[in-house]
Amino acid sequence: MYSIKKLLQDGKNIQGEITLKGWVRTFRSNRFIALNDGSTIDNLQVVVDFENTDPELLKRITTGAAIEVKGRLVESQGKGQNVELQASNISILGDSNPEEYPIQPKKHSLEFLRENAHLRVRSSTFSAVMRVRSTLAFAIHKYFQDNGFFYVNTPIITGSDAEGAGEMFRVTTLDAKNPPLNENGEVDYKKDFFGRETNLTVSGQLEGETFAMALGKIYTFGPTFRAENSNTSRHLAEFWMIEPEMAFYDLIDNMNLAEDFIKYVLQYTLEVRRDDLEFLNKRFLEEEKTKPQNERSTMSLIEKLEFVIHNQFKRVSYTEAIDILKNSNHNKKKKFQYPVNEWGVDLQSEHERYLVEKHFECPVILYDYPANIKAFYMRLNEDGKTVRAMDILFPGIGEIVGGSQREERYDVLKQKIADLHMDEATLWWYLDLRKFGTAVHSGFGLGFERLVLFATGMTNIRDVIPYPRTPQSAEF
Amino acid sequence: MYSIKKLLQDGKNIQGEITLKGWVRTFRSNRFIALNDGSTIDNLQVVVDFENTDPELLKRITTGAAIEVKGRLVESQGKGQNVELQASNISILGDSNPEEYPIQPKKHSLEFLRENAHLRVRSSTFSAVMRVRSTLAFAIHKYFQDNGFFYVNTPIITGSDAEGAGEMFRVTTLDAKNPPLNENGEVDYKKDFFGRETNLTVSGQLEGETFAMALGKIYTFGPTFRAENSNTSRHLAEFWMIEPEMAFYDLIDNMNLAEDFIKYVLQYTLEVRRDDLEFLNKRFLEEEKTKPQNERSTMSLIEKLEFVIHNQFKRVSYTEAIDILKNSNHNKKKKFQYPVNEWGVDLQSEHERYLVEKHFECPVILYDYPANIKAFYMRLNEDGKTVRAMDILFPGIGEIVGGSQREERYDVLKQKIADLHMDEATLWWYLDLRKFGTAVHSGFGLGFERLVLFATGMTNIRDVIPYPRTPQSAEF
């Protein structure tokens, strides 16, 4: 069976009667069916010979109905398509009662569609977003595999809160109401499924490092979790992360890789999913029109993608960034909620946005952060107060990548773990990497949904993942 | 920096001094370093000018040490390699104390290596297995993307025990010792993170179907979980599954796809990872030699892969299979632990193995199973007693694929849910698919680790995943 994508591309070369299955998007004038099968954003126009078609059947050609059409492709008289299908026979595979079907051919609010997440992918916007998501995912695998990286599935259930990156979800099979207690009156996790307390992973990095120190260059691409009660348009409790990790890479190599990688996957997706992105581009421009003039983007969605692909990311040290922020008019006029007064403060999202959107007006790589606002595993610089960390900040998105050169020195890392009162016993294997054949190495994490947000021009992260998990919400 | 893979392939074209980093596998005669950087199973021979090298440095060239070597590539005098590196300078990046380093150049037991899962990937066997795993994963993505499928990330945390496929892990942030109780004295999941009881998914199929009924052809590739207390060489608590789902596919289309798909990914991997598979082939043959003559495989690992790629899978209905089993000498001589006496019994692993390994001696697709031993969502046949299910059975592995045509009829599905006393309220969205534009559709699930087992010739599933999760074990 042909896909509509194929028919619209090569229709002129396809002779004879064909059979097609898909869903009705619209049916107008008892004559023209816009048929979609999910293979492309575009519909195929099916022309119905309504005078010779049973009126009862015509009534059942409604938005959402699944139909089978037999007919011949002919050159289209209408605009916007090369071919259309002259139907000789139509049969209804599955009805769709117009009184009940939620996804009618009109503009629905994104909130309404979220409540119907099982059907929203039948809309043009969400089908485009989800196809773009799929292509981005493949571009990621392709980039790494073409460049000698190996894909590693780090564990989802983990016994170690390695990063201390945030609150975690407990994974358990213990009786919820009456858990077994040990002699100290505490929950006896020895009786739990894994014989210990276990959680959902917040990052595959530490396990990823163990593989990089054997296979050289690896990447993960899997789900990660944060049990944080943040109901924002940028946070999910369950999201997908890509975490490459490379032996013998220093921070500069790491930045170069991250920049090249992001440009590649956007370029690839722009080529392969051009039709969906043009649709999302139109949508983006319409959304912009509803904003006050001074809040509108100076670029269209596709222009933003092209801009990232063709411009160098600006590399700025934390120290330079603090100077810029401290001396900015914005700061002097006290327009930041968190004023920037001294070196050492953590950057807030408002500061990142100022740097990216107002000051540099391009993606920015910030590096060499103060040690005490960054994670324990980051390589301490010779100055003793900064670490070889880097964050990549994107316009409209904020942090899209966070990475670092890893501390490769056994004694320094061991001391850091002690200073932070972390549990060295659960990190014995991580320390082993520094004991046996250690070397400079680096890696980063990229939040997949933030990349999809950027590529699609959507503004709420719940709209770029099939079934979002957020506080108080795990429907479907 | 060149990878060793590249040097061994194109070394003759590389002139001038190069720099290389990697880990010492062995160092013999104070002269020959076997250097590995993870890019390939093969080591590069580095020749040390020991007379002009500091003896203190020579002592530090030990198995597992990370070193940097500068030198020139020259044609190798030795066997088994085209080029070797004449070192002009060697420096130690990270030592590896031979008294302490667990991965010495000798045969370690797989059990010992499992306890050192963070280092085992530095061994030849595990690095080969993990590279093959990576390539298989990419081949899977490539097959689907090349064939018009979209990748879908179905949720990991789920509120619905959709399939009833097995025991589940609870995901919670409630206080473990003193959970909040509701007015009935039961655990008050309304106060849990998601406002309801949630578990780790056992399958993405049902959510996958919602996307197939919009995008046409989709696949998932993500982690799934079973909280079953089975300590076997074929079961993991956390494993990766691939689940394609296709609108307008019936069971035959489904079988055709599964067979074509498996052949493609094995063929691709055989081409791309030939060197690793040849290594694993040798390992396989050595392992076979330790078995009694009558238990040895008649084929080598590579021959088994070639056999699957080039032979049609045998398609056999459940009813035929039962006849074969019932009338087999094996059954008559009461050699089955579970004798096969009547139509309707579930097939045990011993029966599957008999069919595949003794009777047909090739991969087998069993189909049309009794309805009451299969899941609720499978399409009921017109006979009213069998369903359009199919399992693919592989020699040495057993079930590698389980799939079915899905029940597309609203009333039949609703009745089935009622008959099984399942909770219709949690499946409203799944029923909606049959209410709005329903159509024949099908899909299957393939356990990724079982495929990796088959492709690598390993025999314990814990040895083909980076960090296995099994009862009482979630180390690392």
Side-chain angles (χ1 to χ4, degrees):
Chain A
M1 199 170 71
Y2 290 109
S3 69
I4 287 178
K5 187 184 177 78
K6 174 86 181 159
L7 293 181
L8 291 175
Q9 274 170 357
D10 299 336
K12 288 188 175 159
N13 303 317
I14 294 167
Q15 310 290 332
E17 190 176 80
I18 59 167
T19 301
L20 199 59
K21 292 173 189 172
W23 294 275
V24 176
R25 280 284 166 88
T26 58
F27 183 38
R28 62 185 170 83
S29 316
N30 251 357
R31 182 108 204 252
F32 301 108
I33 302 171
L35 192 70
N36 191 285
D37 66 358
S39 64
T40 160
I41 186 79
D42 298 313
N43 303 317
L44 181 72
Q45 176 154 291
V46 175
V47 184
V48 182
D49 177 8
F50 68 96
E51 287 172 338
N52 293 308
T53 304
D54 178 0
E56 287 306 308
L57 185 103
L58 289 176
K59 273 190 214 156
R60 294 169 65 196
I61 303 175
T62 58
T63 296
I67 63 171
E68 177 179 305
V69 188
K70 288 187 204 299
R72 280 169 196 279
L73 279 187
V74 296
E75 212 169 315
S76 179
Q77 308 303 316
K79 269 201 301 190
Q81 64 228 353
N82 295 319
V83 292
E84 59 188 27
L85 189 71
Q86 210 86 48
S88 56
N89 188 280
I90 293 178
S91 49
I92 307 289
L93 303 174
D95 289 288
S96 176
N97 184 341
E99 309 287 308
E100 294 185 55
Y101 187 56
I103 313 294
Q104 290 301 320
K106 60 164 196 167
K107 199 171 160 69
H108 296 286
S109 77
L110 295 173
E111 292 73 18
F112 172 81
L113 289 168
R114 254 170 248 150
E115 287 163 19
N116 289 283
H118 63 311
L119 300 176
R120 68 177 176 174
V121 65
R122 301 179 181 196
S123 72
S124 297
T125 297
F126 281 94
S127 70
V129 167
M130 294 303 164
R131 279 187 298 263
V132 168
R133 184 182 165 106
S134 168
T135 300
L136 280 169
F138 185 64
I140 289 165
H141 282 290
K142 187 163 157 51
Y143 177 86
F144 286 124
Q145 299 267 343
D146 286 351
N147 287 285
F149 287 68
F150 300 103
Y151 180 45
V152 177
N153 296 122
T154 49
I156 310 301
I157 299 172
T158 169
S160 58
D161 172 14
E163 199 177 345
E167 292 183 62
M168 303 206 287
F169 290 103
R170 199 166 66 253
V171 175
T172 181
T173 56
L174 290 181
D175 187 273
K177 194 176 160 190
N178 297 304
L181 303 179
N182 62 21
E183 53 209 9
N184 302 321
E186 296 304 318
V187 172
D188 188 2
Y189 287 111
K190 288 213 175 75
K191 299 220 170 75
D192 208 346
F193 187 90
F194 295 108
R196 63 197 301 169
E197 189 176 349
T198 51
N199 296 293
L200 289 178
T201 184
V202 295
S203 160
Q205 177 200 317
L206 305 199
E207 291 91 352
E209 284 184 50
T210 66
F211 269 56
M213 295 307 280
L215 300 181
K217 298 190 286 186
I218 66 95
Y219 69 107
T220 73
F221 189 166
T224 47
F225 305 85
R226 298 283 153 86
E228 272 158 33
N229 210 345
S230 14
N231 252 315
T232 82
S233 60
R234 297 202 312 155
H235 291 89
L236 291 167
E238 172 181 315
F239 57 100
W240 287 66
M241 263 228 289
I242 297 101
E243 299 184 281
E245 196 69 36
M246 299 73 63
F248 314 122
Y249 272 48
D250 65 17
L251 190 69
I252 305 297
D253 300 325
N254 202 19
M255 289 182 197
N256 293 343
L257 175 75
E259 184 170 344
D260 187 57
F261 162 67
I262 292 174
K263 288 176 173 175
Y264 174 87
V265 298
L266 292 178
Q267 177 72 51
Y268 180 92
T269 305
L270 205 48
E271 281 164 24
V272 171
R273 294 252 81 79
R274 186 88 205 179
D275 48 358
D276 285 312
L277 288 171
E278 302 225 336
F279 173 85
L280 291 168
N281 195 48
K282 276 191 214 114
R283 183 187 174 279
F284 177 83
L285 293 173
E286 279 161 26
E287 294 289 312
E288 287 295 306
K289 276 190 213 149
T290 67
K291 294 182 183 169
Q293 191 88 42
N294 65 341
E295 287 177 23
R296 288 184 202 166
S297 171
T298 55
M299 287 187 251
S300 75
L301 174 63
I302 287 180
E303 284 166 350
K304 288 206 298 177
L305 297 177
E306 301 271 11
F307 183 86
V308 168
I309 292 165
H310 298 298
N311 285 279
Q312 271 211 309
F313 297 4
K314 182 79 188 167
R315 300 181 185 194
V316 186
S317 76
Y318 167 89
T319 303
E320 293 170 80
I322 286 290
D323 279 347
I324 291 167
L325 290 166
K326 207 161 63 178
N327 299 322
S328 67
N329 280 328
H330 212 76
N331 195 45
K332 288 176 182 161
K333 289 182 183 162
K334 303 196 187 304
K335 284 193 187 161
F336 286 129
Q337 197 189 336
Y338 297 87
V340 178
N341 299 318
E342 56 181 5
W343 192 95
V345 296
D346 203 356
L347 296 182
Q348 303 296 322
S349 154
E350 58 175 345
H351 306 137
E352 295 177 348
R353 296 189 75 140
Y354 177 85
L355 289 168
V356 172
E357 291 163 23
K358 305 283 180 205
H359 189 84
F360 290 110
E361 294 182 298
C362 77
V364 171
I365 309 184
L366 283 185
Y367 64 92
D368 282 355
Y369 282 79
N372 57 6
I373 59 170
K374 287 288 184 183
F376 77 98
Y377 49 71
M378 295 187 178
R379 176 60 155 85
L380 192 64
N381 273 311
E382 305 312 319
D383 64 14
K385 61 177 192 173
T386 59
V387 286
R388 303 243 75 193
M390 64 130 179
D391 284 354
I392 302 185
L393 312 176
F394 258 41
I397 305 289
E399 183 191 323
I400 195 164
V401 160
S404 72
Q405 188 174 316
R406 316 308 189 188
E407 183 57 74
E408 86 282 13
R409 296 165 299 180
Y410 182 81
D411 294 336
V412 178
L413 185 63
K414 197 175 153 82
Q415 187 59 49
K416 186 75 183 243
I417 288 170
D419 290 348
L420 294 173
H421 309 293
M422 294 176 69
D423 183 10
E424 194 186 303
T426 65
L427 288 169
W428 65 275
W429 51 274
Y430 190 65
L431 278 163
D432 262 9
L433 299 184
R434 282 71 184 169
K435 214 163 157 182
F436 305 118
T438 192
V440 165
H441 64 290
S442 298
F444 63 84
L446 177 139
F448 184 49
E449 281 74 20
R450 293 204 178 164
L451 183 67
V452 184
L453 266 186
F454 182 75
T456 58
M458 303 297 284
T459 51
N460 191 320
I461 203 158
R462 298 170 197 205
D463 296 331
V464 299
I465 190 167
Y467 293 99
R469 265 64 183 119
T470 55
Q472 299 301 311
S473 171
E475 187 68 89
F476 308 104
Chain B
M1 199 172 70
Y2 291 108
S3 69
I4 288 178
K5 186 185 177 80
K6 173 87 180 159
L7 293 181
L8 291 175
Q9 274 170 357
D10 299 336
K12 286 187 176 160
N13 303 317
I14 295 168
Q15 308 290 330
E17 191 175 77
I18 60 167
T19 301
L20 198 59
K21 294 173 188 171
W23 293 275
V24 176
R25 281 284 167 85
T26 58
F27 184 37
R28 63 186 169 83
S29 315
N30 251 357
R31 182 108 206 248
F32 302 108
I33 302 171
L35 192 71
N36 191 284
D37 66 359
S39 64
T40 159
I41 187 78
D42 297 314
N43 303 318
L44 182 72
Q45 176 154 295
V46 176
V47 183
V48 182
D49 177 8
F50 68 97
E51 287 172 338
N52 293 308
T53 305
D54 179 1
E56 287 307 306
L57 185 109
L58 290 175
K59 273 189 212 155
R60 293 170 65 196
I61 303 175
T62 57
T63 295
I67 63 172
E68 177 179 306
V69 189
K70 288 188 205 301
R72 281 169 195 279
L73 279 187
V74 296
E75 210 168 317
S76 179
Q77 307 303 318
K79 266 200 304 189
Q81 65 230 350
N82 295 319
V83 293
E84 58 188 27
L85 188 70
Q86 210 87 48
S88 56
N89 189 280
I90 293 178
S91 49
I92 307 289
L93 303 174
D95 289 287
S96 176
N97 183 341
E99 309 288 309
E100 295 185 54
Y101 187 56
I103 313 294
Q104 291 301 321
K106 59 163 197 169
K107 198 172 162 68
H108 296 286
S109 76
L110 295 173
E111 291 74 18
F112 172 82
L113 290 168
R114 254 170 247 148
E115 286 162 21
N116 288 283
H118 63 309
L119 301 176
R120 69 176 176 175
V121 66
R122 301 179 181 196
S123 70
S124 297
T125 297
F126 281 94
S127 70
V129 167
M130 293 304 163
R131 280 188 298 263
V132 168
R133 183 182 165 106
S134 169
T135 300
L136 281 169
F138 185 64
I140 289 165
H141 281 291
K142 188 165 158 48
Y143 178 85
F144 286 124
Q145 300 266 343
D146 286 351
N147 287 285
F149 287 67
F150 300 103
Y151 180 45
V152 177
N153 296 123
T154 49
I156 310 301
I157 299 172
T158 170
S160 58
D161 172 14
E163 198 178 345
E167 291 183 60
M168 303 207 287
F169 290 103
R170 198 165 70 253
V171 174
T172 181
T173 57
L174 290 180
D175 188 273
K177 195 177 159 187
N178 297 304
L181 303 180
N182 62 21
E183 54 209 8
N184 301 322
E186 296 303 317
V187 173
D188 188 2
Y189 287 111
K190 288 212 174 75
K191 297 220 170 74
D192 208 346
F193 188 91
F194 294 108
R196 64 198 297 169
E197 190 177 349
T198 50
N199 297 293
L200 290 178
T201 184
V202 295
S203 160
Q205 177 200 318
L206 305 199
E207 291 92 352
E209 283 183 50
T210 67
F211 269 56
M213 295 306 281
L215 300 181
K217 298 191 286 187
I218 65 96
Y219 68 107
T220 73
F221 189 167
T224 47
F225 305 86
R226 299 284 152 85
E228 272 157 34
N229 210 345
S230 14
N231 252 315
T232 82
S233 61
R234 296 202 312 157
H235 290 90
L236 291 167
E238 172 182 314
F239 57 100
W240 287 67
M241 265 231 287
I242 298 101
E243 298 184 281
E245 197 69 35
M246 298 74 63
F248 313 123
Y249 271 48
D250 65 17
L251 190 69
I252 304 297
D253 299 325
N254 202 19
M255 290 182 197
N256 293 343
L257 176 74
E259 184 170 344
D260 187 57
F261 163 68
I262 291 174
K263 288 176 172 175
Y264 174 88
V265 299
L266 292 178
Q267 176 72 51
Y268 180 92
T269 305
L270 204 48
E271 281 163 23
V272 171
R273 293 253 82 79
R274 187 86 204 180
D275 48 359
D276 284 311
L277 288 170
E278 302 227 337
F279 173 85
L280 291 168
N281 195 48
K282 276 191 214 116
R283 184 189 173 278
F284 178 84
L285 293 173
E286 278 161 28
E287 292 290 311
E288 287 295 305
K289 276 189 212 151
T290 68
K291 295 182 183 170
Q293 191 86 43
N294 64 341
E295 287 178 22
R296 288 184 203 167
S297 170
T298 54
M299 287 188 250
S300 74
L301 174 62
I302 288 181
E303 283 166 349
K304 287 205 299 177
L305 297 176
E306 302 272 10
F307 183 85
V308 167
I309 292 165
H310 298 299
N311 285 279
Q312 271 212 310
F313 296 4
K314 182 78 189 169
R315 300 181 186 194
V316 185
S317 75
Y318 168 88
T319 303
E320 292 170 81
I322 286 291
D323 278 347
I324 292 166
L325 290 167
K326 206 162 63 178
N327 297 324
S328 68
N329 281 329
H330 212 75
N331 195 46
K332 288 176 182 162
K333 288 181 182 163
K334 304 197 186 304
K335 285 194 186 164
F336 286 129
Q337 198 188 335
Y338 298 87
V340 179
N341 298 318
E342 55 181 4
W343 192 95
V345 297
D346 203 355
L347 295 183
Q348 304 297 320
S349 155
E350 59 175 342
H351 306 136
E352 296 177 348
R353 296 189 74 142
Y354 178 84
L355 289 169
V356 171
E357 291 164 21
K358 304 282 180 206
H359 189 83
F360 290 111
E361 294 183 297
C362 79
V364 170
I365 309 183
L366 282 186
Y367 64 91
D368 282 354
Y369 283 78
N372 57 5
I373 61 169
K374 287 288 182 183
F376 77 98
Y377 49 70
M378 295 187 178
R379 175 62 154 83
L380 192 65
N381 273 311
E382 306 312 319
D383 63 15
K385 60 178 194 172
T386 61
V387 286
R388 303 242 76 193
M390 65 130 178
D391 284 354
I392 302 185
L393 312 176
F394 257 43
I397 305 289
E399 182 189 325
I400 196 163
V401 159
S404 72
Q405 188 175 317
R406 316 309 189 188
E407 182 56 74
E408 86 281 12
R409 297 165 297 180
Y410 182 80
D411 294 336
V412 178
L413 186 63
K414 200 176 151 82
Q415 187 59 48
K416 186 76 183 239
I417 289 170
D419 290 348
L420 294 173
H421 309 293
M422 294 175 70
D423 184 10
E424 194 185 304
T426 66
L427 288 169
W428 65 275
W429 51 276
Y430 189 65
L431 279 162
D432 262 8
L433 298 184
R434 282 71 184 170
K435 213 163 156 181
F436 304 119
T438 192
V440 165
H441 64 289
S442 299
F444 64 83
L446 176 139
F448 184 49
E449 281 74 20
R450 293 203 177 165
L451 182 69
V452 184
L453 265 187
F454 183 74
T456 59
M458 302 297 283
T459 50
N460 191 318
I461 202 159
R462 298 168 197 206
D463 297 330
V464 298
I465 189 167
Y467 293 99
R469 268 58 183 124
T470 54
Q472 298 301 311
S473 171
E475 187 67 86
F476 309 103

